[in-house]
Coordinates of all heavy atoms in Angstrom, one line a residue:
Y118 N 4.0 -8.0 9.7 CA 2.6 -7.9 9.6 C 2.2 -6.4 9.7 O 2.7 -5.7 10.6 CB 1.9 -8.6 10.9 CG 2.4 -10.0 11.1 CD1 3.4 -10.3 12.0 CD2 1.9 -11.0 10.3 CE1 3.8 -11.6 12.2 CE2 2.4 -12.3 10.6 CZ 3.4 -12.6 11.5 OH 3.9 -13.9 11.7
V119 N 1.2 -6.1 8.8 CA 0.6 -4.7 8.9 C -0.9 -5.0 9.1 O -1.5 -5.5 8.2 CB 0.9 -4.0 7.6 CG1 0.2 -2.6 7.7 CG2 2.4 -3.8 7.4
R120 N -1.3 -4.7 10.3 CA -2.8 -5.0 10.6 C -3.5 -3.7 10.8 O -2.9 -2.6 11.2 CB -2.8 -5.7 12.0 CG -2.1 -7.1 11.9 CD -2.2 -7.7 13.3 NE -1.8 -9.1 13.3 CZ -0.5 -9.5 13.6 NH1 0.4 -8.6 13.9 NH2 -0.2 -10.8 13.5
D121 N -4.8 -3.7 10.3 CA -5.6 -2.6 10.5 C -7.0 -2.9 10.9 O -7.4 -4.0 10.8 CB -5.6 -1.6 9.3 CG -6.3 -2.3 8.0 OD1 -7.4 -2.7 8.1 OD2 -5.6 -2.5 6.9
N122 N -7.8 -1.9 11.3 CA -9.2 -2.1 11.6 C -10.1 -1.4 10.6 O -11.1 -0.9 10.9 CB -9.4 -1.5 13.0 CG -9.3 0.0 13.0 OD1 -8.6 0.6 12.1 ND2 -9.9 0.7 14.0
G123 N -9.7 -1.4 9.3 CA -10.4 -0.8 8.3 C -11.6 -1.6 7.7 O -12.1 -2.3 8.4
I124 N -11.8 -1.2 6.5 CA -13.0 -1.8 5.8 C -13.0 -3.2 5.5 O -13.9 -3.9 5.3 CB -13.5 -0.9 4.6 CG1 -12.5 -1.0 3.5 CG2 -13.8 0.5 4.9 CD1 -12.8 -0.5 2.1
G125 N -11.7 -3.7 5.4 CA -11.6 -5.1 5.1 C -12.2 -5.5 3.7 O -12.5 -4.7 2.9
F126 N -12.2 -6.8 3.4 CA -12.8 -7.2 2.1 C -13.1 -8.7 2.3 O -12.6 -9.4 3.2 CB -11.8 -7.1 1.0 CG -10.4 -7.7 1.2 CD1 -10.1 -9.0 0.9 CD2 -9.4 -6.9 1.8 CE1 -8.9 -9.5 1.2 CE2 -8.1 -7.5 2.0 CZ -7.8 -8.7 1.7
E127 N -13.9 -9.3 1.4 CA -14.3 -10.6 1.5 C -13.1 -11.5 1.0 O -12.2 -11.1 0.3 CB -15.4 -10.9 0.4 CG -16.7 -10.2 0.7 CD -17.8 -10.4 -0.3 OE1 -17.7 -11.5 -1.0 OE2 -18.6 -9.6 -0.6
K128 N -13.1 -12.7 1.7 CA -11.8 -13.5 1.5 C -11.7 -14.0 0.1 O -10.6 -14.4 -0.3 CB -11.7 -14.6 2.4 CG -13.0 -15.6 2.6 CD -12.7 -16.7 3.5 CE -13.5 -16.5 4.8 NZ -13.6 -17.7 5.7
D129 N -12.8 -14.0 -0.7 CA -12.7 -14.4 -2.2 C -11.7 -13.4 -2.9 O -11.2 -13.8 -4.0 CB -14.0 -14.3 -2.8 CG -15.0 -15.4 -2.3 OD1 -14.5 -16.3 -1.6 OD2 -16.2 -15.3 -2.5
Y130 N -11.5 -12.3 -2.4 CA -10.6 -11.3 -3.0 C -9.1 -11.3 -2.6 O -8.3 -10.5 -3.1 CB -11.2 -9.9 -2.9 CG -12.6 -9.7 -3.5 CD1 -13.7 -9.5 -2.8 CD2 -12.6 -9.6 -4.9 CE1 -14.9 -9.4 -3.5 CE2 -13.8 -9.5 -5.6 CZ -15.0 -9.3 -4.8 OH -16.2 -9.2 -5.5
A131 N -8.8 -12.2 -1.7 CA -7.5 -12.2 -1.0 C -6.3 -12.3 -2.0 O -5.3 -11.7 -1.9 CB -7.4 -13.2 0.0
E132 N -6.6 -13.0 -3.1 CA -5.5 -13.2 -4.1 C -5.7 -12.1 -5.3 O -4.7 -11.6 -5.8 CB -5.5 -14.5 -4.6 CG -4.9 -15.6 -3.6 CD -5.0 -17.0 -4.2 OE1 -4.7 -17.1 -5.4 OE2 -5.1 -17.9 -3.4
K133 N -6.9 -11.8 -5.5 CA -7.2 -10.9 -6.7 C -6.7 -9.4 -6.4 O -6.5 -8.7 -7.3 CB -8.7 -10.9 -6.9 CG -9.2 -12.1 -7.4 CD -10.8 -12.1 -7.5 CE -11.4 -13.4 -7.9 NZ -12.8 -13.4 -8.0
I134 N -6.6 -9.0 -5.2 CA -6.2 -7.7 -4.9 C -4.8 -7.4 -5.3 O -4.4 -6.2 -5.5 CB -6.4 -7.3 -3.4 CG1 -5.5 -8.2 -2.5 CG2 -7.9 -7.3 -3.0 CD1 -5.6 -7.7 -1.1
F135 N -3.9 -8.5 -5.6 CA -2.6 -8.2 -6.0 C -2.5 -8.2 -7.5 O -1.4 -8.1 -8.0 CB -1.7 -9.3 -5.4 CG -1.6 -9.3 -3.9 CD1 -2.3 -10.1 -3.1 CD2 -0.9 -8.2 -3.3 CE1 -2.3 -10.1 -1.7 CE2 -0.8 -8.2 -1.8 CZ -1.5 -9.1 -1.1
I136 N -3.5 -8.3 -8.2 CA -3.6 -8.3 -9.7 C -3.6 -6.7 -10.1 O -4.4 -6.0 -9.6 CB -4.7 -9.0 -10.3 CG1 -4.7 -10.5 -9.9 CG2 -4.8 -8.9 -11.8 CD1 -5.9 -11.3 -10.2
P137 N -2.8 -6.3 -11.0 CA -2.8 -4.9 -11.4 C -4.2 -4.5 -11.9 O -4.9 -5.3 -12.6 CB -1.8 -4.9 -12.7 CG -0.8 -6.1 -12.4 CD -1.7 -7.1 -11.8
F138 N -4.6 -3.3 -11.5 CA -5.9 -2.6 -11.8 C -7.1 -3.4 -11.3 O -8.2 -3.1 -11.6 CB -6.0 -2.4 -13.3 CG -4.8 -1.8 -13.9 CD1 -4.1 -2.5 -14.9 CD2 -4.5 -0.5 -13.6 CE1 -3.0 -1.9 -15.5 CE2 -3.4 0.0 -14.1 CZ -2.6 -0.5 -15.1
Q139 N -6.9 -4.4 -10.4 CA -8.0 -5.0 -9.8 C -8.5 -4.1 -8.7 O -7.8 -3.9 -7.6 CB -7.6 -6.3 -9.2 CG -8.7 -7.2 -8.6 CD -9.8 -7.6 -9.5 OE1 -9.5 -8.0 -10.6 NE2 -11.1 -7.5 -9.2
R140 N -9.7 -3.5 -8.8 CA -10.2 -2.7 -7.7 C -11.4 -3.2 -7.1 O -12.2 -3.9 -7.8 CB -10.6 -1.3 -8.4 CG -9.4 -0.5 -9.0 CD -9.9 0.8 -9.6 NE -10.6 1.6 -8.6 CZ -10.0 2.5 -7.9 NH1 -8.7 2.8 -8.2 NH2 -10.6 3.3 -7.1
L141 N -11.6 -3.1 -5.9 CA -12.7 -3.7 -5.1 C -13.8 -2.5 -5.0 O -15.0 -2.8 -4.6 CB -12.4 -4.2 -3.8 CG -11.3 -5.3 -3.7 CD1 -11.1 -5.8 -2.3 CD2 -11.7 -6.4 -4.7
H142 N -13.4 -1.3 -5.3 CA -14.3 -0.2 -5.0 C -14.2 0.8 -6.2 O -13.2 0.8 -7.0 CB -13.9 0.6 -3.8 CG -13.8 -0.3 -2.5 ND1 -14.9 -0.7 -1.9 CD2 -12.8 -0.9 -1.9 CE1 -14.6 -1.5 -0.9 NE2 -13.3 -1.7 -0.9
T143 N -15.2 1.6 -6.4 CA -15.1 2.6 -7.5 C -14.1 3.7 -7.2 O -13.8 3.9 -6.1 CB -16.5 3.1 -7.8 OG1 -16.9 3.9 -6.6 CG2 -17.6 2.1 -8.1
R144 N -13.7 4.4 -8.3 CA -12.9 5.6 -8.1 C -13.5 6.7 -7.2 O -12.7 7.4 -6.6 CB -12.5 6.1 -9.5 CG -11.4 5.3 -10.2 CD -11.0 6.0 -11.4 NE -10.4 5.1 -12.3 CZ -11.1 4.3 -13.2 NH1 -12.4 4.4 -13.3 NH2 -10.5 3.4 -14.0
S145 N -14.7 6.7 -7.3 CA -15.4 7.8 -6.5 C -15.4 7.5 -5.1 O -15.5 8.4 -4.3 CB -16.9 8.0 -7.0 OG -17.6 6.8 -6.9
E146 N -15.3 6.2 -4.7 CA -15.3 5.8 -3.3 C -13.9 6.0 -2.8 O -13.7 6.6 -1.6 CB -15.7 4.3 -3.1 CG -17.2 4.1 -3.4 CD -17.5 2.6 -3.2 OE1 -17.0 1.8 -4.1 OE2 -18.2 2.3 -2.3
Y147 N -12.9 5.5 -3.4 CA -11.5 5.5 -3.1 C -10.6 5.8 -4.3 O -10.7 5.1 -5.3 CB -11.1 4.2 -2.5 CG -11.8 3.9 -1.2 CD1 -12.9 3.0 -1.2 CD2 -11.5 4.4 0.0 CE1 -13.6 2.7 -0.1 CE2 -12.1 4.1 1.2 CZ -13.3 3.2 1.1 OH -14.0 3.0 2.3
E148 N -9.8 6.9 -4.1 CA -8.9 7.2 -5.3 C -7.8 6.2 -5.4 O -7.6 5.4 -4.5 CB -8.3 8.6 -5.0 CG -7.4 8.7 -3.8 CD -6.8 10.0 -3.6 OE1 -7.5 11.0 -3.7 OE2 -5.7 10.0 -3.2
G149 N -7.1 6.2 -6.5 CA -6.0 5.3 -6.8 C -6.1 4.6 -8.0 O -7.2 4.6 -8.7
S150 N -5.0 4.1 -8.5 CA -5.0 3.4 -9.9 C -5.3 2.0 -9.8 O -5.4 1.3 -10.8 CB -3.6 3.7 -10.5 OG -2.6 3.0 -9.8
G151 N -5.2 1.3 -8.7 CA -5.4 -0.1 -8.6 C -4.1 -0.9 -8.8 O -4.2 -2.1 -9.2
I152 N -3.0 -0.3 -8.7 CA -1.8 -1.0 -9.0 C -0.8 -1.1 -7.8 O 0.2 -1.8 -7.8 CB -1.0 -0.4 -10.2 CG1 0.0 -1.3 -10.8 CG2 -0.3 1.0 -9.9 CD1 0.3 -1.1 -12.2
G153 N -1.1 -0.4 -6.7 CA -0.3 -0.4 -5.6 C 0.0 -1.8 -5.0 O 1.2 -2.1 -4.7
L154 N -0.9 -2.7 -4.7 CA -0.7 -3.9 -4.2 C 0.0 -4.9 -5.2 O 0.8 -5.7 -4.8 CB -1.9 -4.6 -3.7 CG -2.5 -3.9 -2.5 CD1 -3.9 -4.6 -2.1 CD2 -1.5 -4.0 -1.3
A155 N -0.1 -4.7 -6.5 CA 0.6 -5.4 -7.5 C 2.1 -5.0 -7.4 O 3.0 -5.9 -7.5 CB 0.1 -5.1 -8.9
I156 N 2.4 -3.7 -7.1 CA 3.7 -3.3 -7.0 C 4.3 -3.9 -5.7 O 5.4 -4.5 -5.7 CB 3.9 -1.8 -6.9 CG1 3.5 -1.2 -8.3 CG2 5.2 -1.3 -6.4 CD1 3.4 0.3 -8.3
C157 N 3.5 -4.0 -4.6 CA 4.0 -4.6 -3.4 C 4.4 -6.1 -3.6 O 5.5 -6.5 -3.2 CB 2.9 -4.5 -2.3 SG 2.7 -2.8 -1.7
E158 N 3.5 -6.8 -4.4 CA 3.8 -8.2 -4.6 C 5.1 -8.3 -5.4 O 5.9 -9.2 -5.2 CB 2.7 -8.8 -5.3 CG 2.8 -10.4 -5.5 CD 1.6 -11.1 -6.2 OE1 1.2 -10.5 -7.2 OE2 1.2 -12.0 -5.6
K159 N 5.3 -7.5 -6.5 CA 6.5 -7.5 -7.3 C 7.7 -7.3 -6.4 O 8.8 -7.9 -6.7 CB 6.3 -6.6 -8.4 CG 7.4 -6.9 -9.6 CD 7.0 -6.1 -10.8 CE 8.0 -6.5 -11.9 NZ 7.7 -5.8 -13.1
I160 N 7.6 -6.3 -5.6 CA 8.8 -6.0 -4.7 C 9.1 -7.2 -3.8 O 10.3 -7.7 -3.7 CB 8.5 -4.7 -3.8 CG1 8.5 -3.5 -4.7 CG2 9.5 -4.7 -2.7 CD1 8.0 -2.2 -4.0
V161 N 8.2 -7.8 -3.1 CA 8.4 -8.9 -2.3 C 8.9 -10.1 -3.1 O 9.8 -10.8 -2.6 CB 7.0 -9.3 -1.5 CG1 7.3 -10.6 -0.7 CG2 6.6 -8.1 -0.5
A162 N 8.4 -10.4 -4.2 CA 8.9 -11.4 -5.1 C 10.4 -11.2 -5.5 O 11.1 -12.2 -5.5 CB 8.0 -11.5 -6.4
R163 N 10.7 -9.9 -5.8 CA 12.1 -9.7 -6.1 C 13.1 -10.0 -4.9 O 14.2 -10.3 -5.1 CB 12.3 -8.2 -6.5 CG 13.8 -7.8 -6.8 CD 13.9 -6.4 -7.2 NE 15.4 -6.2 -7.3 CZ 16.2 -5.5 -6.5 NH1 15.6 -4.9 -5.4 NH2 17.4 -5.5 -6.7
H164 N 12.5 -9.9 -3.7 CA 13.3 -10.2 -2.5 C 13.2 -11.7 -2.2 O 13.7 -12.0 -1.0 CB 12.8 -9.3 -1.4 CG 13.3 -7.9 -1.6 ND1 12.7 -7.0 -2.4 CD2 14.3 -7.1 -1.0 CE1 13.3 -5.9 -2.4 NE2 14.3 -5.9 -1.6
G165 N 12.6 -12.5 -3.0 CA 12.5 -13.9 -2.7 C 11.5 -14.3 -1.7 O 11.5 -15.4 -1.1
G166 N 10.5 -13.5 -1.5 CA 9.5 -13.6 -0.5 C 8.1 -13.7 -1.0 O 7.9 -13.9 -2.2
K167 N 7.2 -13.7 -0.1 CA 5.7 -13.8 -0.5 C 5.0 -12.7 0.3 O 5.3 -12.4 1.4 CB 5.1 -15.2 -0.1 CG 5.7 -16.3 -0.9 CD 5.1 -17.6 -0.5 CE 5.8 -18.8 -1.3 NZ 5.4 -20.1 -0.7
I168 N 3.8 -12.3 -0.2 CA 2.8 -11.4 0.5 C 1.5 -12.0 0.4 O 1.2 -12.4 -0.8 CB 3.0 -9.9 0.0 CG1 2.1 -9.0 0.9 CG2 2.7 -9.8 -1.5 CD1 2.3 -7.5 0.5
F169 N 0.8 -11.9 1.4 CA -0.6 -12.3 1.4 C -1.5 -11.6 2.3 O -0.8 -10.9 3.2 CB -0.8 -13.8 1.5 CG -0.2 -14.4 2.7 CD1 -1.0 -14.5 3.9 CD2 1.1 -14.8 2.8 CE1 -0.5 -15.0 5.1 CE2 1.7 -15.4 4.0 CZ 0.8 -15.4 5.1
A170 N -2.8 -11.6 2.1 CA -3.7 -10.8 3.0 C -4.8 -11.7 3.5 O -5.3 -12.6 2.8 CB -4.3 -9.7 2.2
E171 N -5.1 -11.4 4.8 CA -6.3 -12.0 5.4 C -7.2 -10.9 5.8 O -6.7 -9.8 6.3 CB -5.9 -12.9 6.5 CG -5.0 -14.0 6.1 CD -4.4 -14.7 7.4 OE1 -3.8 -14.1 8.2 OE2 -4.6 -15.9 7.5
S172 N -8.5 -11.0 5.7 CA -9.4 -9.9 6.0 C -10.8 -10.4 6.4 O -11.2 -11.5 6.0 CB -9.5 -8.9 4.7 OG -10.2 -7.9 5.1
T173 N -11.5 -9.7 7.1 CA -12.8 -9.8 7.5 C -13.5 -8.5 7.2 O -13.1 -7.4 7.6 CB -13.1 -10.1 8.9 OG1 -12.4 -11.3 9.1 CG2 -14.6 -10.3 9.2
E174 N -14.5 -8.5 6.3 CA -15.2 -7.3 5.9 C -15.7 -6.5 7.1 O -16.3 -7.1 8.1 CB -16.4 -7.7 4.9 CG -16.8 -6.6 4.1 CD -17.7 -7.0 3.0 OE1 -18.2 -8.1 2.9 OE2 -18.0 -6.1 2.1
N175 N -15.5 -5.2 7.1 CA -15.9 -4.3 8.1 C -15.2 -4.6 9.5 O -15.6 -4.0 10.5 CB -17.4 -4.3 8.3 CG -18.1 -3.7 7.2 OD1 -17.8 -2.7 6.7 ND2 -19.1 -4.4 6.7
Q176 N -14.1 -5.3 9.4 CA -13.3 -5.5 10.7 C -11.8 -5.3 10.6 O -11.1 -5.0 11.5 CB -13.5 -7.0 11.2 CG -14.9 -7.1 11.7 CD -15.1 -8.5 12.3 OE1 -14.1 -9.2 12.7 NE2 -16.4 -9.0 12.3
G177 N -11.4 -5.3 9.3 CA -10.0 -5.0 9.1 C -9.2 -6.0 8.3 O -9.8 -7.1 7.8
S178 N -7.9 -5.7 8.1 CA -7.1 -6.7 7.2 C -5.7 -6.8 7.8 O -5.3 -6.0 8.6 CB -6.9 -6.0 5.8 OG -8.1 -5.9 5.2
T179 N -5.1 -7.9 7.6 CA -3.7 -8.2 8.0 C -2.9 -8.6 6.7 O -3.3 -9.5 6.0 CB -3.6 -9.3 9.0 OG1 -4.3 -9.0 10.1 CG2 -2.2 -9.6 9.3

Side-chain angles (χ1 to χ4, degrees):
Y118 310 100
V119 179
R120 299 178 170 94
D121 66 55
N122 65 341
I124 63 171
F126 55 86
E127 294 178 29
K128 53 177 112 168
D129 293 346
Y130 294 108
E132 292 180 28
K133 294 177 185 176
I134 60 173
F135 295 103
I136 298 170
F138 308 117
Q139 181 69 42
R140 297 180 59 96
L141 303 183
H142 307 280
T143 64
R144 281 184 202 88
S145 61
E146 290 177 293
Y147 297 97
E148 64 179 41
S150 64
I152 199 153
L154 289 176
I156 291 171
C157 288
E158 184 177 53
K159 195 167 182 180
I160 289 170
V161 172
R163 177 176 178 254
H164 286 78
K167 296 178 183 174
I168 184 171
F169 55 92
E171 297 171 304
S172 185
T173 304
E174 201 167 11
N175 293 315
Q176 291 185 23
S178 303
T179 299

